Amino acid sequence: MGTFAAAGSKKDQRLQARHTAVTRTALVGGIANLLLSVMKIGVGLIGHSQSLVADGIHSLSDLATDALVWIAGRQASRGPDDEHPYGHGRYETMATLVLALLLLAVAIGLGWDAALRLFSPEDLLRPAWMTLFAALASIGVKEWLYWYTLAYARRVRSDMLRANAWHHRSDAISSIVVLIGIGGTLAGLPYLDAVAAFVVAIMIARIAWELGFDATRELVDTGLDPERLAAVRETILDVGGVRDLHMLRTRSIGGTVSTDVHVLVDPYISVSEGHLISVKVEQELKTRIEEIEDVTVHIDPEDDDAAPPTMGLPSRRETLARLAAHWANLPELARPGRVQLHYLDGRIEVEVLLSATDAHQGEALQALAERARAAVAADPIFAGVSVYRGVTHCNGAY
């Protein structure tokens, strides 16, 4: 219980850290964007800079982005519930994809505007010198917002915050374009603004593609890369009692990874030991593979990818009834201490434990075991019968 409580506490702390990071970055970004938009639009109108006014409107639109990040962050920080058993991390993934699309729209808008101005330089106004200082202030604030947000993104491993950080940097680059455009116009080089804007548009589009591609891969349940997957396999095989593994699957959910795997163990161990092995596998994966947060382990007594299927075999209740019918003439087996069934290789191996007070021992016990095997020999579902006395298992089977 202590291990699972610690794991739950760790998960709660991670969710709380993400919530804090999203709230702080969204609040700081929102205030900064509001102040920048007011400054750039006001100075742009007074200083006759069309590009600065457009950049101010761009910053104003970023308020909607900050609101999106805040809302998505609040949803993603919620724990699992009945409708979302894997948590709400995909809200963050969706927000990352939306931010990527917004960045792409910014890139297309900048590129289109640059192309139009390349062919219509006469449409450019001659800005005042004050607009240069407004553009410089915008660059400084936006670049600071980029590093501030990126630091939190790295700390809590949030692609959504990383996308928003790049959104801030795209705004800084946009303001650089404005600065170059204003300076170029004042220096008599009107084309410089449009060429720089087009190059920046291509850079922003590339960032948007990378962020959107990663978010889409997560939404379609893309697994870990081969290198990390090899580390997962190595971690599982290092656990004592694990013979092999197969059907290893991983998927990303909002910056974390969910894993499920089939683990091959000795087919004759107890259920409790098999459970312990599964717990050890879960603990080791969560400890050694940082991004893994959810693990499902299926214990296999044999490689069900290669072994004959056991799905057609009868259940325990049906099997015991079948054995009772076969052993109707063996009163010694009418009420055994315990019957253990091993479903292996498409058949059933039967172990019968007689009570410690049973008189059968030595040759008598061996004779009883032979009679029990002979009674079920014609039934194809049984692979064999072993009979023991007074112990759960022994090295010699009769």
Side-chain angles (χ1 to χ4, degrees), residues 48 65 74 82 89 139 148 161 173 221 224 229 233 240-241 246 267 272 278 311 324 331 356 372 378:
H48 306 292
T65 300
R74 281 179 60 87
D82 292 339
I139 294 169
Y148 176 77
L161 289 183
I173 295 173
D221 286 337
L224 289 173
L229 206 58
R233 290 183 60 87
H246 57 281
S272 59
S278 71
M311 290 171 39

Side-chain angles (χ1 to χ4, degrees), residues 265-294:
V265 301
D266 186 319
Y268 297 102
I269 63 174
S270 66
V271 172
S272 59
E273 185 179 353
H275 173 69
L276 175 65
I277 292 173
S278 71
V279 171
K280 292 292 186 181
V281 169
E282 179 181 358
Q283 290 175 345
E284 288 298 309
L285 285 176
K286 289 181 176 179
T287 301
R288 293 169 55 177
I289 310 297
E290 182 182 6
E291 58 266 43
I292 289 183
E293 187 172 279
D294 181 74

Side-chain angles (χ1 to χ4, degrees), residues 39-81:
M39 179 195 71
K40 287 190 284 189
I41 292 174
V43 174
L45 290 173
I46 296 172
H48 306 292
S49 173
Q50 186 177 6
S51 59
L52 190 60
V53 171
D55 198 34
I57 295 174
H58 183 195
S59 293
L60 191 61
S61 69
D62 291 342
L63 288 172
T65 300
D66 292 323
L68 172 65
V69 169
W70 183 73
I71 293 171
R74 281 179 60 87
Q75 292 294 327
S77 65
R78 294 164 56 194
D81 55 29

